[in-house]
Amino acid sequence: MDVSIGTLVLFPAVAVAAPLLVRAVGKLVAIPLVVFEIVLGLVLGPSLLGWIRPDDFTGMLADFGLAMLFFLAGNEIDLRTIQGRPLRRATIGWIVSLCAGVGIAALLAPTLPAAAFIGIALTSTALGTIMPVLRDAGELRTPFGIGVLAIGAVGEFGPLIAISLFLSGRAPGVATLVLLAFAVITGLAIWAAASGAGRRLHRVITATLRTSGQFAVRLVLLILAALVALSTVLDLDMLLGAFAAGVLYRLLLNGAPEPDTELIERKLEAIGYGFLVPIFFINTGVTFDLAGLTSDPRNLLLLPIFVLLLLVVRGVPSMLAAPQGSDWRDRGATLLFGATGLPIIVAVTAIGVDRGELPSGTAAALVGAGMLSVLVFPLVALSLRRRAADAPSAPSPDRLDVPTEG
């Protein structure tokens, strides 16, 4: 496997430089970390300076990073917290987004298959991207944050289901049966975890947390590999398996001592956000087809159109999940967080280009819109959210009705 020394060194160098830039620029304006990772990758990649060249090794690590991003997103979701009104309204909003996205894309795309790729890409919300932003801002457990988490959960799981049903290349009936088989196998595992089967593992996890055994981390990698392998064997998108693995592992930890759970979470975040996930975002910038975007004026025109469509198709329906009593600032912030999408856009467009059903220039415009959404939308959303919190006349959102057990 041919890996240049420059690429081998510059990837971790960018990963180290990005948080330093966030800290330096953060004194003036809060910019999400992934912004610097993508932009630095773009600048150092073949599109501009050419210091980093994509290769099979970094591509493989980027795939692992994408899978880990979805695992962490699934692991972060507490179904008991988002169930009820937030999840119900987020689901309705996503269905509206899907209908609007495919309908509008049919007017723009040259073919119906291309319209399906574009429409599904426009319905995504980058939960794995906005989650660290919400955590760093202290919003993860607020009513506003819970609403955004519900939007993100549906905005990642929904498109993955749509990819498996409509973009798998199978007949719809066969695709549905295959998806049901995956759901049954995964559902049985989740049921076993929720019923307390994981409690037998807690003693082993506790005993090895501070030893070279690291059973919890090894178990994570096994669950992630097993469900990704299952989705691959069934010819489903691997991200569906990664997302389900995160949900499953969270349920396995239910009932474990809280200090142990927190320590495990820190270890997983260290592996994910400290190593694998940055490689995915840096590689997104490195492999971005800037020439394909700029060579045709029509593709450049599509870029702002797709940014606008992310706001209209995905953002506006997302406001349904805003907490009760939200003012216009909170609703605007919800719209912007809901319209933030990149990982699924990258995955969907890659499938479309590989099959020859989506023009590479259109794919570059879609990915570029996703990159701009990550660059701009969370920043503006946080600004609106802070203004809502600081406004003396702004009514505080009503408490969400989070169902209790029993």
Side-chain angles (χ1 to χ4, degrees), residues 17-54:
L20 295 177
L21 288 171
V22 169
R23 183 177 178 84
V25 177
K27 299 174 182 177
L28 301 174
V29 59
I31 298 180
L33 176 63
V34 297
V35 169
F36 290 102
E37 293 169 345
I38 295 172
V39 171
L40 288 174
L42 177 61
V43 171
L44 297 179
S47 296
L48 294 175
L49 295 179
W51 294 358
I52 300 179
R53 294 287 175 183

Side-chain angles (χ1 to χ4, degrees), residues 11 14 34-50 52-54 62 277-291 342 346 367-368 371 375:
F11 261 87
V14 170
V34 297
V35 169
F36 290 102
E37 293 169 345
I38 295 172
V39 171
L40 288 174
L42 177 61
V43 171
L44 297 179
S47 296
L48 294 175
L49 295 179
I52 300 179
R53 294 287 175 183
V277 174
I279 294 177
F280 164 70
F281 285 114
I282 296 168
N283 196 64
T284 298
V286 169
T287 58
F288 181 70
D289 187 10
L290 187 60
L342 181 64
V346 172
V367 174
M371 290 169 61
L375 294 174

Side-chain angles (χ1 to χ4, degrees), residues 24-84:
V25 177
K27 299 174 182 177
L28 301 174
V29 59
I31 298 180
L33 176 63
V34 297
V35 169
F36 290 102
E37 293 169 345
I38 295 172
V39 171
L40 288 174
L42 177 61
V43 171
L44 297 179
S47 296
L48 294 175
L49 295 179
W51 294 358
I52 300 179
R53 294 287 175 183
D55 51 50
D56 292 340
F57 178 68
T58 54
M60 179 183 66
L61 286 180
D63 287 341
F64 278 120
L66 181 57
M68 193 66 180
L69 183 67
F70 275 77
F71 173 87
L72 291 170
N75 185 55
E76 191 69 37
I77 295 173
D78 187 346
L79 294 176
R80 292 173 300 179
T81 300
I82 67 173
Q83 68 180 337

Side-chain angles (χ1 to χ4, degrees), residues 198-217 219 249 252-264 267:
R199 292 173 188 168
R200 301 166 190 161
L201 302 173
H202 294 169
R203 188 174 301 174
V204 181
I205 290 173
T206 301
T208 60
L209 270 179
R210 294 170 178 83
T211 71
S212 60
Q214 294 296 322
F215 177 77
V217 176
L219 183 61
Y249 190 72
L252 281 173
L253 287 182
N254 277 348
E258 188 171 341
D260 291 353
T261 302
E262 292 176 355
L263 182 56
I264 294 169
K267 290 175 184 287

Side-chain angles (χ1 to χ4, degrees), residues 318-344:
S318 295
M319 290 194 294
L320 289 171
Q324 292 176 326
S326 296
D327 64 7
W328 67 269
R329 299 179 187 87
D330 278 345
R331 292 187 182 278
T334 302
L335 181 153
L336 290 164
F337 274 126
T340 301
L342 181 64
I344 287 182

